[in-house]
């Protein structure tokens, strides 16, 4: 009997367009002989099943079912392709846990923790994970440019604490430009993080649960044509993503071990993609993504392909792992 799989996509953040792309890639990749697949759009004003004719059918939030032509459809598993809120910050994970529907990403606590960069870095620090110097601001706080520069130096990065895909991020070279960058970040989130600039090789490391084991995927080196790995670099072809990364075996082993350690310390499941920059021959953690991009251009699928894992196998394994949690 074929399983009913809901692929959730969209979301409440600036990342919804990328999420729709990821979700449609999952929809088009999964084996239709093995699964009945359903595209579910999650937006603030509506949760709907969208069929191949682009007809919409409301989702009953009481049990996450859909009524289509007088037939009630329930789901055996949810494939989470929502980047940002509410798919990457714990809300959808908590909802599905409450109603007893398996889903492919990590659990509610891990999602909420990793989505909050401040809390993630604070949690990992006692385990020896290195991070850049940082300075925190909440909306309404007094902004002391002198104190910020004294702590993190210039240039520095100003970014939303809880946002992905490089929305609300700026690289600041001059003290007088801090306010504009801070205002930009506050449009994305009411908490921001200002980080020391680390000048070194940037790499991205995918770690997944694959066939019941923690698997570190081949490392990707990020070479941005822009000043840093911003939205255009990520999604508009303004970067080189080189897999495997052009780094020494020593660097590769260090960052692989750090990424695996983070996955296991946090008791993760599903997909993760951790970003690092090398400084003084050591990897410094920038962030951990738990619903990374799944388009054909995205880093994690590229890494999986280098590891000999097809897109179909990658997605199929995620569903099987969720069903067997």
């Amino acid at each position: 009997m074929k399983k009913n799989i809901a692929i959730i996509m969209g979301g409440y953040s600036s990342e919804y367009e990328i999420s729709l792309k990821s979700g449609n890639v999952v929809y088009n990749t999964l084996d239709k002989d093995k699964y009945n697949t359903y595209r579910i759009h999650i937006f603030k004003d509506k949760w709907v099943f969208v069929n191949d004719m682009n007809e919409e059918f409301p989702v009953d939030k009481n049990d996450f079912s859909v009524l289509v032509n007088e037939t009630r459809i329930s789901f055996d598993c949810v494939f989470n392709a929502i980047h940002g809120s509410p798919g990457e910050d714990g809300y959808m994970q908590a909802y599905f846990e409450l109603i007893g529907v398996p889903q492919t990403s990590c659990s509610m606590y891990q999602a909420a923790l990793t989505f909050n960069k401040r809390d993630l870095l604070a949690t990992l620090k006692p385990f020896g994970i290195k991070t850049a110097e940082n300075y925190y601001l909440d909306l309404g706080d007094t902004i002391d440019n002198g104190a910020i520069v004294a702590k993190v130096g210039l240039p520095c990065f100003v970014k939303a604490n809880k946002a992905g895909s490089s929305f609300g991020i700026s690289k600041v070279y001059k003290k007088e430009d801090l306010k504009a960058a801070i205002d930009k970040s506050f449009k994305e989130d009411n908490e921001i993080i200002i980080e020391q600039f680390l000048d070194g090789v940037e790499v991205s490391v995918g770690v997944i649960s694959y066939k019941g084991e923690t698997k570190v995927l081949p490392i990707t080196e990020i070479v941005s044509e822009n000043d840093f790995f911003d939205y255009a670099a990520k999604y508009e072809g303004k970067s080189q993503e080189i897999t495997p990364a052009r780094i020494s075996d020593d660097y590769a082993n260090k960052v692989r071990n750090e990424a695996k350690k983070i996955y296991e310390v946090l008791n993760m499941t599903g997909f993760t993609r951790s970003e690092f920059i090398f400084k003084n021959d050591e990897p410094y953690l920038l962030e951990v993504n738990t619903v990374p991009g799944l388009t054909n251009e995205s880093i994690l699928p590229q890494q999986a392909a280098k590891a000999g894992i097809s897109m179909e196998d990658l997605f199929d394994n995620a569903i099987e792992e969720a069903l067997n949690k």
Side-chain angles (χ1 to χ4, degrees), residues 12-16 44 84-85 115 117 139 158-170 181-192 231:
Y12 303 165
S13 76
S14 303
E15 298 181 78
Y16 77 92
K44 280 184 178 173
S85 187
F115 197 68
K117 297 180 184 76
L139 189 61
V158 180
K159 59 176 88 169
N161 187 42
K162 303 185 296 292
S165 289
S166 301
F167 285 106
I169 185 170
S170 305
I182 288 166
D183 289 344
K184 179 181 175 181
S185 289
F186 276 137
K187 286 178 182 167
E188 291 292 329
D189 189 15
N190 60 1
E191 299 172 350
I192 68 172
Y231 183 89

Side-chain angles (χ1 to χ4, degrees), residues 42-280:
I42 304 284
F43 293 109
K44 280 184 178 173
D45 59 343
K46 62 181 179 182
W47 290 22
V48 290
F49 158 55
V50 181
N51 68 13
D52 288 339
M53 282 76 74
N54 281 325
E55 296 172 312
E56 296 185 352
F57 302 85
V59 172
D60 183 341
K61 293 181 184 177
N62 291 301
D63 58 3
F64 200 69
S65 64
V66 182
L67 190 63
V68 180
N69 301 328
E70 299 183 7
T71 300
R72 177 70 59 183
I73 299 166
S74 298
F75 299 103
D76 299 294
C77 183
V78 171
F79 194 109
N80 182 6
I82 297 178
H83 315 311
S85 187
E88 202 165 4
D89 55 5
Y91 286 101
M92 296 307 295
Q93 289 85 347
Y95 167 71
F96 289 122
E97 200 165 313
L98 284 170
I99 63 171
V101 177
Q103 54 85 35
T104 56
S105 55
C106 61
S107 67
M108 176 270 295
Y109 174 73
Q110 281 79 1
L113 177 65
T114 51
F115 197 68
N116 187 311
K117 297 180 184 76
R118 300 180 188 183
D119 291 356
L120 172 69
L121 300 179
T123 300
L124 290 173
K125 196 171 184 180
F127 294 93
I129 304 298
K130 296 175 180 62
T131 63
E133 283 288 348
N134 45 54
Y135 187 102
Y136 303 138
L137 278 175
D138 293 331
L139 189 61
D141 283 354
T142 300
I143 297 167
D144 184 338
N145 287 353
I148 293 168
V149 172
K151 181 85 185 289
V152 302
L154 288 170
C156 64
F157 284 105
V158 180
K159 59 176 88 169
N161 187 42
K162 303 185 296 292
S165 289
S166 301
F167 285 106
I169 185 170
S170 305
K171 188 175 180 181
V172 176
Y173 290 87
K174 300 176 188 171
K175 191 190 287 189
E176 55 267 31
D177 293 337
L178 276 167
K179 185 179 186 309
I182 288 166
D183 289 344
K184 179 181 175 181
S185 289
F186 276 137
K187 286 178 182 167
E188 291 292 329
D189 189 15
N190 60 1
E191 299 172 350
I192 68 172
I193 181 168
I194 304 172
E195 278 185 344
Q196 168 193 23
F197 167 62
L198 299 176
D199 190 10
V201 178
E202 181 170 355
V203 296
S204 184
V205 189
V207 185
I208 63 175
S209 181
Y210 186 72
K211 301 191 186 303
E213 302 284 331
T214 300
K215 184 173 183 66
V216 183
L217 298 174
I219 301 159
T220 299
E221 179 184 351
I222 309 295
V223 184
S224 177
E225 290 175 23
N226 296 349
D227 198 19
F228 60 95
F229 195 44
D230 61 2
Y231 183 89
K234 278 185 180 174
Y235 298 115
E236 295 170 9
K238 306 282 187 182
S239 69
Q240 281 182 279
E241 293 154 10
I242 301 161
T243 311
R246 302 167 302 179
I247 56 177
S248 68
D249 289 346
D250 179 50
Y251 273 31
N253 287 332
K254 281 179 178 176
V255 80
R256 218 180 270 122
N257 290 339
E258 290 292 84
K260 186 168 191 263
K261 181 178 179 181
I262 289 165
Y263 194 93
E264 292 177 341
V265 160
L266 297 178
N267 198 23
M268 299 297 297
T269 54
F271 301 153
T272 67
R273 204 190 70 229
S274 299
E275 317 296 331
F276 297 88
I277 287 181
F278 280 91
K279 177 191 172 190
N280 301 329

